[in-house]
Structures are given as C-alpha cells and as structure tokens.
Amino acid sequence: MTVRPVSVIGIGETQFGELWDRSFRELGIEAGLRAISDAKIVAEQVDALYVGNMSAGKFIDQEHVSTLVADYAGLADQHLPTVRVEGGGACGAIAIQQAAMSIVSGVHDIVVVGGAEKMTDVGDLEAMQILSSTTDQEWESVFGATFAGLYAMMARRHMFEHGTTREQLAAVAVKNHKHGALNPNAQFQKEITMDMVLQAPKVAEPLGLFDCAPLSDGAAALVLCAKEKARKFTDTPIDLIGTGQASDFIAVHDRRDLTTIDATVIAGKRAFHAAKRTPADVRLAEVHDNFTISEIMAIEDLRFFPKGKGGYATEDGETALNAKVTINPSGGLKARGQPVGATGVAQAVEIVRQLRTEAGKRQVSGAEIGLTHTLGGTGGTAVVHIFARGD
Amino acid sequence: MAIPRFWREIPSRYNLLGSKCGNCGALDFPPRSVCPRCGRRSVGKMQKFRLTGKGKVVTYTVIHDAPKDFDMMKPYVLGIVELDEGVRLTSQIIDVEPGEVKIGMPVEVAFRKLGEEGDAGVIHYGYKFRPVT
C-alpha cells in the first residue's frame, strides 16, 4: 500500500439475523446506501462496486449479484464496473483488497465494497451443506466430512498437542456473546453461560451448537477513497495501512500442522510488513470465529499469543473488551452473526467504527490501529487487513 | 454426486491409488499431476503408486449433525489417518465405538459403501478405516 494510500470514508451495515422479511438485494442496497450516506458522497462519485458474496447461486439461485445490487441501488444508468468476488468465507475481505488495489493502481478514486449473504431462504441442513462446499468435495465431503467436523478435528488435535481444554473453547463463545450483547446490530444480543455452551447439543465433538457461528442474513459496506482525497469527505478518515492474503492446501489433511492455519500466519506477516507494525502494536482485532477453535488458532497464528496459549489467554480474560487485546468487540461471527459474504466487510466496519470512537458501549479505549482476520473454507484462504486512524 | 464425477475417481477410492514424484520420490494421495514440493521439475514425472492402507489416527471427531446423505449413519466417527507411507487422508473410522477412538490408534483400510445416488440410484463404494485387530 505504499504506491497510493487508501482510506475508508464511509461505513454501513444492516441488522444481522434471520431476516425473513428482507431479500438479498434489499440487504445489499441498505448497507451500500448507508455507507454512501456516511461518506457524504453522491452516487455519481462512485467509480466501481466490488461485492463479496460466497454462494448466492446456491442460497437463492442468483448469480451476477454485483450488477443486481448496483441496479437496485439506482446505479444502472451510471453503468458502473461491478465485480463479484468469491473466496469462501474470505470473499468480503478479498473484495476489500481488490477494491483497494484498484485505487492503489490509480484506476479508481472512490470505490464501494459490499458484502452480503442471504442464508435463511434454504433449510438449515441445506445451508450447512452449502457452507461445506468450500471444503474439498472429492476428498473430504464425499467421505462424510462436514464443515464443523473438519474444524472439530483441528480442535481435537489442538487439545491433544497443546492441552487446550473444552472449557477454553467454550470461553470464546461466552466472551463473544458478552460483546454481542453490546452491539445493536448483532444477531444474538444475549449473554450465555459456560454451562449453556458445555450442555448444548453436540454438532461434531468436541464442538457443540454454541461453538458454531449461526446461519444469518445481513450485509455490510465500506466506501474506500484515495487517501489524498479523503479529507474532502470526512474529518475522520481511517487508513488501510496494510493487507495480506495467503492460500494453503484446500483439504485439512494435507496441511503441514493441524493446529496452525499457515495461511493466517503468512497473511498476517504480509499485512504487518506492509503496515510496518508488529503484533505487539495491536490491541483491537476482529478475527474469524466461525467456530470457537478458529478464534483460538487465529490469536495464536497472528502472534498475539504463543502457539498453544490462545485457549489459556481466553480463559484468563486477556481477549475481553479492553483487556490485553480486545478480540471481536462486535461479538464476532459467533454473536454478531455469519452472513458469509458480509463477514470480512462487517469486520472492517467494526474496526473503523472503533477507530472513529463511535462504538458506544463496546468502545475499545485508546486503540490507534485495528486488525481484521478472515478465513475462507477451513483455512485454505486467509486475509488480514490493518487499519489506522488517519493522520 | 453425479455418476461420472464419482466414477472417474474410482481407482483412488477403491484401491488407494496415489502418486509418486519422479523427481523427489515423495508420495501424494489423491494422485497429483504436479508435486507440491518440486513444482515444474515434477511435471511429466509423476507416477501412479498404490498405498498399502495401513496407518494411524491423527485426529478425529464424532459427527452428530450430518448431511442428508449420511443421516442414517449418525453419530459416526470421522478421522484424519496418516498412512505408514506418510500420506494423510480423511475417512470414516468404523467398527469401533465413538468413545473408544484414540489419537495414535492403528487402523487399516476397509472397502465399504459410502453412499448412494438418491433412493434408487447407483451405490458409491470406497475406503473407510477400521482398528487393526
């Protein structure tokens, strides 16, 4: 990001949840228009639209969603270039990076990035099968592997190698629900107890129902702008100071270490290098907690805590609001909700809100930089973005 | 899964046919046309290699929330197995009570029904692993 720095000048988000009365296009437009209005720009100033969406083709039989959203946002006559980005759960985060690169390159000045998913128009079983389609269909799913099952096998190995406990996994869910209770847009604004997590129906042992992020509808959007023009639109631009993306073997069984997401390690290194910062500089992060074990691996792989200590740190409260490093102040995927395509963008919306000190009851005090971490599939893709308050 | 899609992978799903890199000698399962270690130096040098089907459990889970096609089997044990040749794969672990599976447990390949194409379609067969008796 050294060529031409990029700032966030607008953010927008819908309610997340089981929104039976809202369609995919309504959600996408609401988030996008909120971001445009927050940026105090008019639609004619937008140069392009990038949309992160995992699987509208399967969830609502609708492909070509970037043009659909632009059209229903009233932009058809503007003939914007629109791009839909797919990359499993990381699609929204990749869309941010691609949109930023279009500004870095000088092609565009102002770009809207949206992320959206409508998951509840199909039944729960079908939705879970669609989520599983980001795994290796030929060599994992066909043998009975589920999305939760693959993460459960990483959890089991993490417990075996590092002594992580069932209670430490549960502590992630308890903490994220506590944060979600402070977020008016979260799907679950309700605290839960350790007992509720431990007693919940089993999904894939050792993971139970409360170890898994829910199925959700929702959308989020950002307006990105070339930094040199950002001050024209806002007094509080938030800069994207580093991004990193990395891939790995798609199947869990092929990976070097079952307790480490190498894609996260590498994406993190790339982002920290670009941002000229270190993990020790970060006190605020939104990480991909699609399962409780995912958050534990993420905070280790991003080097906030040593390998094997993520569960202990969580149990000791070091990742709670305003503790050593605040992880998932929004409630994370677990409590805010998991409309897959929206995830990476919603994480960025939360970090921008925090850095602008507009996060209300869940405000992290004194944070100068914030990080987002997003996974695709079971960790075959990882994306890390680092944001800082504009100077 | 559509019939041709399953059918074209039968050699590996029935007989654990993997590949051996003609450049570095490393094994892969399922077979690859490019060695992840050697890259272009391996192109055109990948040979078929049949694995013995003996190994041990590296990690496992008990699946309670199963996809439609596996509903009748739940709860079932799913594991990652490391074969004696060093290659890993994902498979169901059968002929064992879920509570008795352990990391490190020796297992061997078995030929089993994996699923079927709807109520009246073709049956898919392939590997599962069971404890060595």
Side-chain angles (χ1 to χ4, degrees):
Chain A
M1 290 298 148
T2 50
V3 183
R4 192 181 185 223
V6 175
S7 302
V8 181
I9 60 167
I11 54 174
E13 189 178 65
T14 67
Q15 184 71 41
F16 280 19
E18 295 180 336
L19 310 174
W20 310 110
D21 56 335
R22 312 293 308 279
S23 68
F24 176 87
R25 66 185 78 181
E26 269 182 76
L27 292 167
I29 293 156
E30 181 183 322
L33 294 183
R34 281 188 181 174
I36 286 175
S37 138
D38 181 57
K40 300 182 190 68
I41 58 170
V42 292
E44 287 72 23
Q45 290 169 289
V46 177
D47 295 323
L49 172 69
Y50 283 74
V51 175
N53 171 258
M54 176 192 151
S55 207
K58 287 188 166 194
F59 283 119
I60 58 167
D61 291 324
Q62 178 72 61
E63 302 288 16
H64 205 183
V65 293
S66 56
T67 286
L68 174 81
V69 170
D71 173 3
Y72 274 77
L75 302 173
D77 279 344
Q78 207 173 313
H79 306 295
L80 282 182
T82 73
V83 181
R84 177 261 183 100
V85 176
E86 196 275 316
C91 58
I94 302 171
I96 293 173
Q97 193 180 42
Q98 293 297 315
M101 285 160 67
S102 77
I103 294 173
V104 170
S105 69
V107 172
H108 299 311
D109 288 333
I110 297 180
V111 179
V112 174
V113 190
E117 209 78 53
K118 175 75 196 175
M119 299 169 77
T120 63
D121 279 351
V122 297
D124 286 4
L125 268 181
E126 196 179 340
M128 287 196 304
Q129 247 166 305
I130 295 170
L131 283 177
S132 286
S133 66
T134 57
T135 66
D136 188 334
Q137 292 300 295
E138 306 282 356
W139 303 103
E140 293 182 319
S141 303
V142 81
F143 297 96
T146 60
F147 201 46
L150 292 163
Y151 276 96
M153 291 198 290
M154 292 190 258
R156 176 86 66 191
R157 189 73 200 182
H158 203 282
M159 294 164 98
F160 177 79
E161 283 187 36
H162 305 296
T164 300
T165 66
R166 179 69 191 89
E167 288 74 16
Q168 290 170 356
L169 294 172
V172 173
V174 172
K175 185 260 300 174
N176 287 349
H177 270 258
K178 199 170 176 183
H179 292 176
L182 305 174
N183 180 355
N185 286 337
Q187 181 163 359
F188 301 127
Q189 298 172 36
K190 199 174 159 189
E191 295 196 27
I192 56 171
T193 64
M194 173 74 69
D195 260 359
M196 287 164 77
V197 184
L198 299 178
Q199 304 301 324
K202 294 168 182 169
V203 173
E205 294 179 48
L207 305 179
L209 188 62
F210 281 31
D211 290 277
C212 311
L215 304 168
S216 324
D217 306 324
L222 298 176
V223 180
L224 300 185
C225 177
K227 181 177 159 77
E228 82 260 13
K229 300 189 175 176
R231 288 274 172 190
K232 281 201 269 183
F233 304 104
T234 175
D235 294 331
T236 53
I238 302 299
D239 297 343
L240 178 60
I241 61 169
T243 87
Q245 185 187 342
S247 58
D248 197 0
F249 292 101
I250 190 168
V252 175
H253 56 237
D254 279 329
R255 307 231 180 102
R256 183 188 61 82
D257 175 356
L258 298 177
T259 69
T260 300
I261 303 289
D262 278 348
T264 297
V265 175
I266 303 297
K269 280 185 182 164
R270 287 174 180 162
F272 280 115
H273 177 77
K276 299 187 181 67
R277 305 292 174 111
T278 70
D281 298 327
V282 176
R283 287 193 53 244
L284 161 68
E286 286 275 311
V287 308
H288 201 92
D289 60 324
N290 54 346
F291 298 96
T292 48
I293 182 63
S294 319
E295 176 166 320
I296 289 176
M297 290 194 293
I299 61 178
E300 295 168 350
D301 297 340
L302 291 165
R303 303 289 188 257
F304 297 147
F305 299 96
K307 180 50 66 181
K309 300 298 179 203
Y312 295 91
T314 306
E315 190 172 44
D316 292 344
E318 294 183 50
T319 59
L321 194 62
N322 282 313
K324 185 179 175 216
V325 45
T326 304
I327 302 291
N328 287 326
S330 70
L333 282 64
K334 177 69 196 80
R336 182 188 58 227
Q338 184 193 207
V340 183
T343 290
V345 184
Q347 292 173 318
V349 165
E350 175 68 10
I351 294 297
V352 170
R353 204 186 269 129
Q354 291 279 352
L355 294 176
R356 287 177 175 179
T357 60
E358 292 173 356
K361 289 179 189 164
R362 61 181 195 284
Q363 181 63 47
V364 176
S365 55
E368 295 288 327
I369 69 171
L371 175 149
T372 65
H373 159 262
T374 324
L375 291 179
T378 53
T381 295
V383 183
V384 174
H385 297 312
I386 301 174
F387 298 89
R389 223 177 278 174
D391 37 45
Chain B
M1 186 170 275
I3 293 169
R5 187 172 173 189
F6 193 90
W7 167 81
R8 68 174 86 99
E9 305 297 347
I10 277 179
S12 292
R13 292 205 182 115
Y14 283 15
N15 294 321
L16 288 179
L17 198 65
S19 59
K20 181 175 186 169
C21 174
N23 191 53
C24 73
L27 302 175
D28 281 299
F29 181 84
R32 291 177 181 259
S33 47
V34 181
C35 173
R37 304 151 202 89
C38 303
R40 64 183 163 79
R41 287 172 311 220
S42 68
V43 174
K45 294 182 188 165
M46 302 297 280
Q47 302 139 12
K48 291 286 192 297
F49 187 91
R50 188 171 171 176
L51 299 155
T52 56
K54 292 202 182 300
K56 59 183 197 303
V57 174
V58 177
T59 185
Y60 66 96
T61 177
V62 184
I63 306 264
H64 294 268
D65 244 7
K68 191 166 75 265
D69 296 349
F70 293 85
D71 200 55
M72 297 292 281
M73 301 179 193
K74 72 181 185 190
Y76 57 91
V77 182
L78 184 83
I80 291 179
V81 172
E82 181 168 308
L83 300 175
D84 288 351
E85 296 90 340
V87 176
R88 290 179 175 182
L89 51 76
T90 297
S91 166
Q92 282 186 44
I93 312 292
I94 54 165
D95 299 345
V96 61
E97 289 300 316
E100 284 165 18
V101 183
K102 295 271 181 296
I103 288 177
M105 189 172 80
V107 289
E108 63 186 11
V109 73
F111 187 71
R112 289 289 185 277
K113 176 179 167 178
L114 294 179
E116 58 201 11
E117 209 60 47
D119 292 336
V122 298
I123 295 173
H124 298 323
Y125 293 96
Y127 53 81
K128 294 184 181 179
F129 281 73
R130 63 182 171 210
V132 176
T133 46

